[in-house]
């Protein structure tokens, strides 16, 4: 068996309820079912998660590094957009 | 209900523990050599699950025996004739179709056996069975999935998977053949009658093999037996030699 011809999948794990799924890595699999089983075996061995998403890597549209300046630089000097000017209650978690 | 004798119960526990231990050791041989990273990790996970289960069964077997033998003494200081595992688990890994077919046939039996044991009158057996059941449910899901992929895959993978099934088939009869110890454990409510599992097992593997386009071998085929009673194929002593050599050379060695 070889994984050469198997499509690549991206794996997202939610570590606990209330948190968002987080990208943890990628793997090879023939279809969604196999990707789910492989994700379980490769990325949740140490009790990392309560939920798994697998997405074909080809379905992900990524921004180009060349677009870095027009996309991100304008946000640089706009501190007033950060919510740092009011206190956060201690009870609010995961923000 | 008749109480089970400790001697019989110990053998009964060894059968469960040894099957898990020997299969774990067999799959561990492939650690780092799996056909793909994903498969390699999945096999290692299965091996570790089975090792954990073996520890629980063997520890309890040692307590029931009452001679002060712990899980290590039972795993590393018995010879092949003192092992009571099913013959199927000691068979060689062969090619990957063989490895997965052995796993599938065993997993399908293992889930049913553990489900029976969760009803045991012995609370300790219940607990071990319940804990193991979750792991084994996943093992079966995974091996069933792979059998379908390989059986209904390419011409080559189909031929290899069918050959693996034909070769391993004679080792499946033993899973459903009871003896005096099975009878005693069933009568005491501790264990189950293995013959009872046959129909459900057959129905399940039939379903998977149909989707996998595999041909079931003859129902009246001649079946191997003896593993549960300690009579094994030549493969077991080589496996034990490798598994036990470190402990025998350096008793009590620790990482």
């Amino acid at each position: 068996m070889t994984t050469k011809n198997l499509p690549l999948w991206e794996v997202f794990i939610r570590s606990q309820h209330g948190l968002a799924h987080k990208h943890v890595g990628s793997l090879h699999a023939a279809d969604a079912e196999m990707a789910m089983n492989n994700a379980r075996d490769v990325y949740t061995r140490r009790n990392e998660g309560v939920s798994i998403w697998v997405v074909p890597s080809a379905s992900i549209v990524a921004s180009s590094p060349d677009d870095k300046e027009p996309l991100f630089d304008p946000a640089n000097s706009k501190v007033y957009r950060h919510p740092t000017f009011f206190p956060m209650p201690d009870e609010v978690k995961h923000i | 209900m008749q109480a089970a004798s400790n001697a019989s119960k110990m053998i009964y526990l060894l059968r469960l523990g040894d099957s898990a231990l020997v299969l774990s050791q067999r799959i561990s041989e492939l650690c780092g050599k799996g056909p793909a990273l994903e498969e390699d990790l999945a096999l290692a996970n299965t091996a570790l699950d089975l090792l954990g289960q073996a520890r629980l069964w063997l520890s309890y077997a040692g307590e029931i025996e009452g001679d002060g033998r712990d899980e290590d003494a039972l795993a590393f200081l018995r010879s092949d004739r003192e092992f009571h595992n099913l013959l199927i688990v000691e068979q060689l890994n062969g090619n990957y179709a063989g490895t997965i077919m052995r796993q599938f046939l065993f997993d399908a039996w293992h889930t049913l056996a553990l489900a029976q044991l969760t009803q045991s009158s012995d609370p300790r057996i219940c607990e071990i069975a319940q804990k193991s059941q979750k792991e084994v449910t996943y093992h079966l899901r995974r091996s069933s999935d792979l059998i379908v992929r390989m059986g209904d895959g390419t011409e080559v993978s189909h031929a290899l998977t069918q050959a693996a099934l034909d070769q391993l088939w004679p080792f499946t009869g033993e899973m459903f053949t009871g003896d005096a110890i099975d009878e005693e454990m069933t009568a005491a409510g501790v264990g189950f009658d293995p013959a009872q599992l046959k129909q459900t097992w057959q129905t399940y593997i039939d379903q998977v093999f149909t989707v996998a386009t595999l041909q079931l071998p003859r129902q009246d085929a001649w079946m191997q037996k003896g593993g549960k009673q300690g009579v094994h194929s030549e493969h077991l002593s080589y496996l034990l030699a490798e598994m036990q050599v470190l402990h025998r050379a350096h008793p009590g060695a620790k990482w």
Side-chain angles (χ1 to χ4, degrees):
Chain A
M1 196 172 115
T2 166
T3 53
K4 205 168 54 187
N5 301 317
L6 294 180
L8 197 64
W9 296 71
E10 300 302 321
V11 182
F12 301 81
I13 305 274
R14 187 172 70 195
S15 57
Q16 48 177 294
H17 291 290
L19 287 187
H21 285 73
K22 192 165 172 266
H23 184 238
V24 292
S26 53
L27 50 77
H28 291 276
D31 58 26
E33 193 185 352
M34 191 177 181
M36 189 55 86
N37 282 353
N38 286 350
R40 183 266 188 195
D41 277 317
V42 177
Y43 292 109
T44 66
R45 307 175 72 221
R46 298 177 185 89
N47 204 20
E48 287 94 339
V50 294
S51 167
I52 302 173
W53 286 353
V54 286
V55 182
S57 306
S59 301
I60 291 181
V61 181
S63 61
S64 156
D66 295 342
D67 290 341
K68 200 171 148 248
E69 288 181 10
L71 284 182
F72 308 119
D73 281 2
N76 252 348
S77 51
K78 301 186 169 75
V79 283
Y80 50 86
R81 288 183 180 170
H82 291 271
T84 49
F85 300 103
F86 47 88
M88 192 67 73
D90 289 340
E91 291 77 20
V92 182
K93 300 225 161 55
H94 308 312
I95 287 186
Chain B
M1 212 179 268
Q2 220 167 1
S5 79
N6 275 355
S8 302
K9 196 174 187 174
M10 195 227 175
I11 300 288
Y12 197 73
L13 292 165
L14 285 181
R15 288 175 177 178
L16 294 161
D18 288 348
S19 284
L21 178 63
V22 170
L23 185 55
S24 171
Q25 176 71 16
R26 249 319 163 229
I27 316 173
S28 300
E29 291 171 11
L30 291 174
C31 187
K33 299 176 188 165
L37 179 144
E38 290 83 350
E39 290 301 321
D40 196 276
L41 274 172
L43 278 181
N45 287 345
T46 308
L48 282 174
D49 286 346
L50 290 169
L51 186 66
Q53 295 171 19
R55 292 185 59 182
L56 296 170
W57 292 125
L58 293 185
S59 296
Y60 189 34
E63 287 171 38
I64 291 289
E65 185 189 39
D67 279 348
R69 287 204 280 183
D70 63 1
E71 51 184 300
D72 282 348
L74 288 170
F76 296 124
L77 298 173
R78 278 182 300 150
S79 68
D80 59 340
R81 282 297 184 108
E82 297 164 285
F83 270 74
H84 296 271
N85 57 281
L86 295 166
L87 295 170
I88 191 168
V89 298
E90 72 201 42
Q91 299 310 305
L92 299 176
N93 287 324
N95 56 39
Y96 206 57
T99 301
I100 297 301
M101 182 58 77
R102 182 189 58 206
Q103 192 69 39
F104 170 69
L105 295 170
F106 177 76
D107 289 344
W109 171 84
H110 203 191
T111 43
L112 298 176
L114 290 173
Q116 292 285 322
L117 292 172
T118 59
Q119 310 297 318
S120 173
S121 61
D122 182 321
R124 186 82 173 269
I125 291 181
C126 270
E127 283 166 22
I128 301 176
Q130 276 169 1
K131 183 180 182 299
S132 310
Q133 210 178 13
K134 289 179 199 159
E135 298 169 342
V136 172
T137 302
Y138 179 74
H139 297 171
L140 180 62
R141 168 175 154 174
R142 190 177 161 276
S143 58
S144 304
D145 181 67
L146 286 173
I147 287 296
V148 170
R149 287 175 195 282
M150 295 196 290
D152 191 20
T154 66
E155 218 170 284
V156 175
S157 75
H158 175 85
L160 290 173
T161 313
Q162 182 67 55
L165 172 57
D166 296 342
Q167 197 190 336
L168 289 165
W169 188 248
F171 297 103
T172 57
E174 192 190 19
M175 302 193 285
F176 309 103
T177 312
D179 64 2
I181 290 180
D182 286 306
E183 276 170 34
E184 189 184 336
M185 290 304 128
T186 310
V190 173
F192 60 90
D193 171 15
Q196 269 191 341
L197 307 184
K198 180 70 197 284
Q199 199 50 52
T200 321
W201 180 81
Q202 188 74 51
T203 308
Y204 181 78
I205 65 164
D206 279 351
Q207 279 171 4
V208 175
F209 288 154
T210 303
V211 185
T213 71
L214 294 170
Q215 200 73 43
L216 202 71
R218 287 171 59 122
Q219 285 301 299
D220 57 353
W222 182 76
M223 289 291 171
Q224 297 273 7
K225 56 180 190 295
K228 286 164 70 172
Q229 291 78 29
V231 184
H232 294 276
S233 60
E234 64 174 306
H235 303 310
L236 183 65
S237 32
Y238 290 101
L239 177 144
L240 293 181
E242 189 173 26
M243 185 177 85
Q244 297 178 338
V245 62
L246 188 87
H247 188 91
R248 287 188 188 271
H250 306 279
K254 281 195 164 48
W255 288 109

